[in-house]
Amino acid sequence: MKKKTLVPFVIFLLGICLVSLIVYITDTHENEQRHITAQLNATTYGERIKTEITDGIEITDALKQILISENGEIHQFETIAENLMSDSIESVQLAPNGVVTDIYPAEGNEAGKIDLINDKDRGEISCYARDNHTIITQGPFELKQGGYGIAVRNPVYLKDQNEQEYFWGFTIVILRVPDIFSDSIHALSDFGYEYSILKTDTPWSNIYKVVYQSDEQINHPVSYTFTIGNDNWKIEVTPKSGWRNNTLIIIISGIFLTIILLLTVLTRVWLVAKEHRNKYKILAHTDSLTGIYNRYGFDELAEKMISKNPQIHFVAALLDIDDFKFINDIYGHGYGDRALKSLADSMKAFFPSNALLGRNGGDEFGILLPNCTFEEADVQLQQFTKLPKTFSCHGEKHAFYISLGYAEYPTFASDRSQLLRCADAALYEIKLHGKNGCMAYREGLQSGVRKQLGFAFKDISEHLPGAFIIYRADKEKDELFYANDEFLHMSGYKDIDELFRLTKKRFRNLIREDEQQQIESSIWEQIDSGNENDYIHFHLRKADGTYLSVLDHGRIVESQQYGKVFYVLFMDWEDMHIRYSDKFSG
């Protein structure tokens, strides 16, 4: 009693310690990841903001190059400035000798015509730009038109007749804040960040001044610093939800606490229910799809049954579904599973309760009938083999068939292993003689005949030298079943699913519309008259909607599963015409 209580309690305590460690590691890792991600975003959008401001600087550079090339003059300034304007630019200005004389747009910007060199607020930084040959940014400052702006001043230098450099003045762009970097701040906001954009108040200062920031205060941000001209800029970001992912911590804690509680409960249940292990052992011996024994369970129980009663007679039968791979290829593995379950259900319903039933793997099943001789089992197994077997697909029932081989112990075998080998030999003997039948083992049969059946339908179809399809031979409703790779390649369909989708699984939809009635009539006239389907020429619809001139040769056969079906081989008409005309002309 103490063990049943103590062990779960110890597991619970150890689990709590483990959960605490996992939560700590997860929290630390998540915090680091959030810092790394935030730093990447700060770097990315810091560089983007730098680029956006640099785009404004390029406007001053463009004006500067015109001034240099035109020896200090700009003709049609308004036209040039108008072409340089964008949504984030408030105005473009010229300041010869540091005095703003030209502004575009002029309306509403009259107050901007000032002497920058001698202005109280702008003089010192403007002189710095002039004397150090460097671009400077100043702001943000309130605009007369409303909002805020940043001034970009680019000093211009010309050469006199003696090739001596002199200061001409400034080319200036006023950038609207936050319009100039709206894309970046919107992206940061969408990604769940609070942000702040700052710049040094002057090129010679280390004090940063906020240019623009989000509504909420940011705590413990990561930052990225970049330089424009001689000004230092900085962007700071922090997640809106903070650096700790509380939701993740709660989820992980909840999941692992639940697991620990479940583990504790399951441990107690396991300790209490030791006596019920046989039940779980049965589950380990059962095939999950069919509900009967799996191979391990079947072999183990068959061994025990024969070993326990070595004097009585047993009949072992092995059976499988004929052309099961074809069912999987045509209908898909889901419907193949339905066929397997249907077969297992019919076995459970047909055979007595003392019969051992198992699925040995794939589509192969085993039956062991205790206290039974060959004569007693023969009629029963023959009846089961002939019993109709079907599976449902899209509301329709499709028939399938089985092959079955059986052998008797101890007449032909001294143990379980040899008994099943004999049954296996009988099974594959019936496979070699047309399938859909039942055969008893007899002396001389070899289980090695498996090797003679080593060709799979897919292997054959993929390597046949020609393009072919299989479809239901029905005048009213033909149905495509299969097309090999060569046909798909010739007609431009990427796979059989695309072929089925674009043709609605109808052969007639592969024929050009104006030829459909004639071609179908021609095919059925030949069939009804008792002749083999002769060569027929028509235009085959390809995947891209174009048509390929083809020659087809079909043969109608009777399939146990699908009734009458057409096997049709296709040849490229033009290719044959060219090839054989060249051959015979030579």
Side-chain angles (χ1 to χ4, degrees):
M1 186 67 181
K2 288 182 179 179
K3 183 178 180 181
K4 294 178 182 178
T5 303
L6 184 60
V7 172
F9 181 70
V10 171
I11 289 176
F12 180 76
L13 290 180
L14 291 174
I16 292 297
C17 294
L18 180 61
V19 169
S20 300
L21 178 62
I22 291 172
V23 168
Y24 172 76
I25 293 173
T26 302
D27 185 40
T28 302
H29 178 265
E30 184 68 15
N31 194 296
E32 290 176 354
Q33 288 299 115
R34 286 198 165 199
H35 274 83
I36 291 170
T37 304
Q39 187 65 62
L40 287 172
N41 278 291
T43 302
T44 300
Y45 290 102
E47 284 297 313
R48 186 176 292 184
I49 288 169
K50 179 179 179 181
T51 300
E52 289 162 346
I53 296 174
T54 302
D55 289 343
I57 292 175
E58 287 177 354
I59 294 175
T60 66
D61 282 334
L63 293 171
K64 180 176 180 178
Q65 293 304 316
I66 294 173
L67 285 167
I68 293 172
S69 63
E70 297 295 331
N71 198 25
E73 295 184 3
I74 291 185
H75 303 289
Q76 298 181 330
F77 167 71
E78 289 190 0
T79 301
I80 295 171
E82 181 181 8
N83 291 330
L84 295 174
M85 291 290 287
S86 68
D87 293 339
S88 59
I89 296 175
E90 177 64 28
S91 64
V92 179
Q93 304 176 7
L94 294 179
N97 296 315
V99 179
V100 179
T101 58
D102 297 279
I103 302 177
Y104 182 84
E107 185 177 351
N109 288 310
E110 293 82 1
K113 295 184 177 180
I114 56 177
D115 184 350
L116 299 173
I117 301 298
N118 297 304
D119 184 75
K120 178 182 68 173
D121 298 323
R122 301 168 179 81
E124 186 176 13
I125 195 169
S126 296
C127 289
Y128 179 90
R130 178 196 64 189
D131 298 340
N132 289 276
H133 290 57
T134 185
I135 296 172
I136 58 98
T137 58
Q138 187 176 10
F141 50 82
E142 195 168 354
L143 298 170
K144 298 290 184 182
Q145 298 83 355
Y148 292 85
I150 294 175
V152 178
R153 302 192 188 103
N154 193 344
V156 181
Y157 302 88
L158 302 178
K159 290 183 179 180
D160 58 19
Q161 294 178 350
N162 297 321
E163 294 297 313
Q164 295 297 314
E165 189 176 73
Y166 68 92
F167 174 68
W168 178 88
F170 296 103
T171 56
I172 304 168
V173 169
I174 307 298
L175 306 174
R176 280 200 292 269
V177 176
D179 303 43
I180 186 62
F181 31 70
S182 59
D183 289 345
S184 297
I185 61 177
H186 287 155
L188 286 170
S189 181
D190 291 342
F191 287 146
Y193 288 102
E194 303 292 349
Y195 53 86
S196 179
I197 302 169
L198 310 96
K199 67 177 287 293
T200 50
D201 198 26
T202 60
W204 56 86
S205 171
N206 293 323
I207 299 173
Y208 283 91
K209 183 177 180 181
V210 174
V211 175
Y212 191 77
Q213 65 182 12
S214 55
D215 297 333
E216 301 296 329
Q217 184 178 1
I218 61 175
N219 297 311
H220 308 294
V222 296
S223 63
Y224 176 70
T225 305
F226 55 94
T227 302
I228 299 176
N230 276 16
D231 294 316
N232 290 324
W233 289 67
K234 181 164 62 174
I235 180 171
E236 297 178 337
V237 299
T238 187
K240 292 180 180 179
S241 57
W243 293 110
R244 298 189 67 181
N245 191 339
N246 293 322
T247 302
L248 179 62
I249 297 302
I250 291 171
I251 291 173
I252 289 177
S253 300
I255 290 174
F256 279 96
L257 282 174
T258 302
I259 292 172
I260 294 301
L261 288 172
L262 285 173
L263 184 60
T264 303
V265 172
L266 289 173
T267 301
R268 180 170 175 79
V269 169
W270 178 74
L271 290 170
V272 172
K274 269 188 175 182
E275 61 271 19
H276 300 304
R277 282 187 176 178
N278 287 339
K279 178 181 177 181
Y280 303 112
K281 188 176 181 180
I282 291 173
L283 292 176
H285 288 65
T286 303
D287 177 60
S288 59
L289 174 66
T290 60
I292 61 178
Y293 286 106
N294 57 23
R295 180 169 195 143
Y296 177 73
F298 181 83
D299 287 350
E300 184 178 70
L301 286 176
E303 185 73 35
K304 287 182 179 179
M305 289 171 67
I306 296 175
S307 299
K308 188 176 180 181
N309 303 284
Q311 303 304 318
I312 70 172
H313 288 258
F314 290 86
V315 171
L318 291 180
L319 60 134
D320 65 15
I321 297 175
D322 294 334
D323 302 315
F324 180 67
K325 184 169 180 56
F326 192 68
I327 294 175
N328 278 336
D329 288 343
I330 297 300
Y331 298 99
H333 290 277
Y335 292 102
D337 288 348
R338 291 191 182 187
L340 294 173
K341 193 173 186 311
S342 174
L343 177 57
D345 290 342
S346 67
M347 289 167 62
K348 287 185 282 187
F350 185 86
F351 292 101
S353 58
N354 67 341
L356 179 63
L357 307 177
R359 180 186 173 197
N360 294 345
D363 64 320
E364 184 176 274
F365 292 78
I367 304 168
L368 183 66
L369 299 174
N371 200 22
C372 183
T373 64
F374 161 76
E375 291 81 5
E376 295 167 338
D378 181 61
V379 174
Q380 190 177 17
L381 294 174
Q382 292 283 358
Q383 286 178 346
F384 179 73
T385 303
K386 296 175 182 177
L387 190 72
K389 299 169 185 67
T390 62
F391 67 93
S392 296
C393 178
H394 302 305
E396 294 184 10
K397 288 190 177 297
H398 296 270
F400 65 91
Y401 303 89
I402 65 168
S403 295
L404 184 148
Y406 63 98
E408 182 185 345
Y409 167 92
T411 307
F412 293 109
S414 59
D415 56 26
R416 174 200 60 84
S417 179
Q418 186 179 9
L419 178 63
L420 292 177
R421 285 199 299 271
C422 290
D424 182 72
L427 169 61
Y428 281 91
E429 182 69 15
I430 196 67
K431 285 286 190 184
L432 287 176
H433 289 81
K435 306 179 184 179
N436 186 22
C438 176
M439 179 178 288
Y441 176 78
R442 64 181 183 274
E443 292 289 350
L445 295 184
Q446 299 294 325
S447 60
V449 295
R450 279 178 180 270
K451 298 176 181 178
Q452 300 177 39
L453 300 174
F455 296 102
F457 174 76
K458 189 175 181 182
D459 295 332
I460 296 171
S461 67
E462 286 184 351
H463 300 293
L464 280 174
F468 80 90
I469 64 171
I470 305 172
Y471 72 95
R472 189 190 302 277
D474 189 316
K475 291 182 182 181
E476 302 301 324
K477 188 179 180 181
D478 62 70
E479 181 183 2
L480 284 173
F481 288 139
Y482 186 76
N484 69 345
D485 288 343
E486 192 159 337
F487 177 84
L488 295 174
H489 176 73
M490 181 179 76
S491 54
Y493 294 93
K494 64 181 181 181
D495 53 38
I496 198 165
D497 289 334
E498 184 180 57
L499 172 67
F500 286 168
R501 179 172 56 81
L502 295 180
T503 62
K504 300 180 180 178
K505 293 191 74 174
R506 298 292 304 276
F507 169 69
R508 73 182 331 261
N509 291 334
L510 284 169
I511 306 171
R512 197 170 69 186
E513 290 185 6
D514 61 329
E515 297 177 341
Q516 286 176 357
Q517 186 172 354
Q518 175 191 348
I519 297 303
E520 289 180 332
S521 297
S522 176
I523 291 172
W524 284 104
E525 282 176 10
Q526 294 174 21
I527 298 302
D528 293 339
S529 64
N531 297 323
E532 289 287 343
N533 185 12
D534 202 354
Y535 289 95
I536 293 179
H537 174 241
F538 67 91
H539 291 84
L540 177 74
R541 181 183 179 87
K542 298 177 69 177
D544 59 5
T546 61
Y547 293 93
L548 177 68
S549 181
V550 297
L551 195 67
D552 91 358
H553 182 64
R555 173 166 294 176
I556 192 168
V557 298
E558 188 73 32
S559 166
Q560 290 179 335
Q561 290 174 295
Y562 308 107
K564 291 183 178 181
V565 296
F566 275 121
Y567 286 73
V568 184
L569 180 68
F570 291 86
M571 290 152 281
D572 186 319
W573 174 267
E574 296 296 334
D575 183 55
M576 289 186 63
H577 181 73
I578 294 172
R579 182 176 299 178
Y580 289 105
S581 63
D582 287 348
K583 181 181 290 187
F584 291 121
S585 63

